[in-house]
Amino acid sequence: MSEDISCPRCKTSKYRNPLLKLLVNVCGHPLCDNCVDLLFVKGSATCPTCNISLRKTNFRVQLFEDSLVEKEVDIRKKILKDFNKKEDDFTSPDEYNDYLEFIEDLIYNLTNNIDVESTKRKIENYKKDNWESINRNRGKLSRDEEEIEGLIEAEKDHEQWKTQVLSVQENNFSKSKKRAAEALVDDLMCSDLPANQILARHASEKLQLEKRNAELPKPPPIRRPPSQVMFSTGIKVGKNSSSLFLPVPKQVEHEVYVYVEPTFDMEGPNPLGTKDLHDLGHIHHVRNIELSELAGGFIRTYPCQRAIQEAFCGLFYQPDP
């Protein structure tokens, strides 16, 4: 979370309070944890931004810097609990795509407060008409989920078997070390050989014991099945699929393409460039763009240049006699 983000109520920023923790609720408007404790001391209150009734127990830590993203994630989770049909439930890909598009429209409307009441009515009508399939699909796993569940179970069984094998090996090794230590004490007490020879012999036996223990076969790691990738067109590729890539076409010799900049007859004055728009002051008549527009690739000079071209285009037009 960047340092310029602050609580909209108390204006405390991350820069002034590094321990600042923003919380969000179903409405998506953030509040710091201190303001939540102060405003929701009775357990429920209204949001200071939109006046929606909220409960303190529904606040959660804000994960994304944009509160609108937090709101969309929360709405998406709730919508997908009921709109849980799979691709296998539809007769054609077009019907499934229309179903996905319908879900995205619902999420977009609720996130941006567009026709909220009618959108909620659509959701309720869908629940009434499809309550049987909703309850059935809640306990039904998709193919990907079934594959993941199988991998998790296989990993658990493998780890349990690996733990048992290693515990047996460690137990045998510890018993061998104990017997070697007891034999060393007996030899030092009863043997007529010098102590340095006895210690050297047991040291070599200990090294051989550790070497044999290190050479024992270890449980192999679990082998995952090769992953399968599906493109948006439905084509499955990978070692675990029957589809293969098409062969690479042979390169045919042809003429090298040369780009030629197109020319347009404006039938009027030549269009102004970006530098001319700033120097002549035309850009001052265009509103400042927002950060979201700038992120989308929208530049302030585009509408200014287009408006001037449309204004002067055709001034020199002469109809044919």
Side-chain angles (χ1 to χ4, degrees):
M1 188 177 295
S2 59
E3 296 181 350
D4 57 345
I5 294 180
S6 60
C7 175
R9 182 179 178 274
C10 63
K11 308 302 180 183
T12 302
S13 64
K14 192 77 174 178
Y15 177 77
R16 289 186 288 178
N17 182 13
L19 301 178
L20 177 68
K21 183 168 63 174
L22 292 180
L23 306 177
V24 292
N25 210 312
V26 292
C27 63
H29 298 121
L31 283 174
C32 67
D33 50 351
N34 294 328
C35 290
V36 170
D37 294 337
L38 181 63
L39 295 176
F40 295 84
V41 65
K42 295 183 179 180
S44 62
T46 58
C47 175
T49 305
C50 60
N51 294 326
I52 294 179
S53 298
L54 303 174
R55 296 188 64 84
K56 184 178 181 179
T57 55
N58 293 333
F59 276 94
R60 65 186 186 281
V61 179
Q62 180 176 345
L63 300 178
F64 301 94
E65 292 186 2
D66 191 353
S67 59
L68 189 64
V69 177
E70 287 283 350
K71 183 179 180 181
E72 180 182 349
V73 170
D74 185 65
I75 293 174
R76 184 175 296 274
K77 288 181 180 179
K78 293 180 179 179
I79 292 293
L80 294 181
K81 286 182 180 179
D82 298 322
F83 290 79
N84 52 10
K85 288 185 178 180
K86 311 297 181 184
E87 187 175 2
D88 300 336
D89 298 330
F90 297 89
T91 57
S92 65
D94 292 336
E95 292 183 4
Y96 181 59
N97 292 332
D98 293 339
Y99 174 74
L100 296 179
E101 186 175 355
F102 176 66
I103 294 175
E104 294 300 325
D105 290 339
L106 296 178
I107 295 173
Y108 180 82
N109 291 343
L110 294 178
T111 303
N112 297 276
N113 297 325
I114 301 174
D115 298 334
V116 178
E117 295 300 328
S118 61
T119 303
K120 290 183 178 179
R121 283 196 298 270
K122 291 180 181 179
I123 296 174
E124 293 299 327
N125 293 334
Y126 176 84
K127 290 181 181 179
K128 292 179 181 178
D129 298 337
N130 301 272
W131 64 272
E132 292 183 357
S133 62
I134 290 174
N135 294 331
R136 182 175 62 253
N137 289 331
R138 282 182 179 176
K140 179 181 175 183
L141 297 178
S142 64
R143 294 177 181 176
D144 295 337
E145 292 172 341
E146 289 178 354
E147 183 178 355
I148 293 173
E149 290 291 336
L151 289 175
I152 292 175
E153 291 296 329
E155 287 184 1
K156 288 182 179 179
D157 296 339
H158 181 270
E159 289 296 330
Q160 185 177 2
W161 172 76
K162 181 180 177 181
T163 303
Q164 292 177 355
V165 172
L166 292 178
S167 62
V168 171
Q169 293 179 358
E170 291 177 358
N171 190 21
N172 294 334
F173 179 65
S174 61
K175 289 182 178 179
S176 301
K177 287 177 63 177
K178 185 177 180 181
R179 286 195 297 266
E182 293 175 352
L184 174 61
V185 174
D186 293 340
D187 290 344
L188 290 174
M189 293 176 61
C190 303
S191 179
D192 297 333
L193 295 175
N196 56 355
Q197 293 183 7
I198 297 175
L199 292 175
R201 179 166 57 85
H202 281 275
S204 64
E205 292 178 355
K206 182 179 179 181
L207 290 176
Q208 292 178 2
L209 179 63
E210 293 177 351
K211 184 178 180 180
R212 287 195 300 269
N213 182 71
E215 292 176 354
L216 289 176
K218 303 297 181 184
I222 187 172
R223 292 185 178 181
R224 297 172 177 266
S227 60
Q228 190 180 78
V229 181
M230 179 185 294
F231 289 107
S232 58
T233 56
I235 300 176
K236 298 179 180 179
V237 296
K239 296 181 180 179
N240 199 23
S241 64
S242 58
S243 302
L244 298 175
F245 284 113
L246 295 176
V248 179
K250 296 182 179 179
Q251 186 175 2
V252 181
E253 295 184 359
H254 54 79
E255 296 182 359
V256 179
Y257 173 77
V258 179
Y259 174 75
V260 179
E261 186 175 357
T263 57
F264 303 98
D265 186 7
M266 301 294 296
E267 296 182 351
N270 293 326
L272 298 176
T274 303
K275 186 176 183 303
D276 296 332
L277 293 176
H278 286 85
D279 294 342
L280 299 177
H282 295 294
I283 200 68
H284 300 304
H285 300 283
V286 181
R287 67 172 178 82
N288 294 326
I289 62 174
E290 299 179 357
L291 291 177
S292 58
E293 296 173 330
L294 182 62
F298 182 78
I299 301 178
R300 191 181 175 190
T301 56
Y302 290 166
C304 182
Q305 191 175 30
R306 184 166 56 248
I308 294 177
Q309 289 179 4
E310 293 177 355
F312 292 97
C313 180
L315 287 180
F316 302 156
Y317 172 72
Q318 295 181 357
D320 297 333

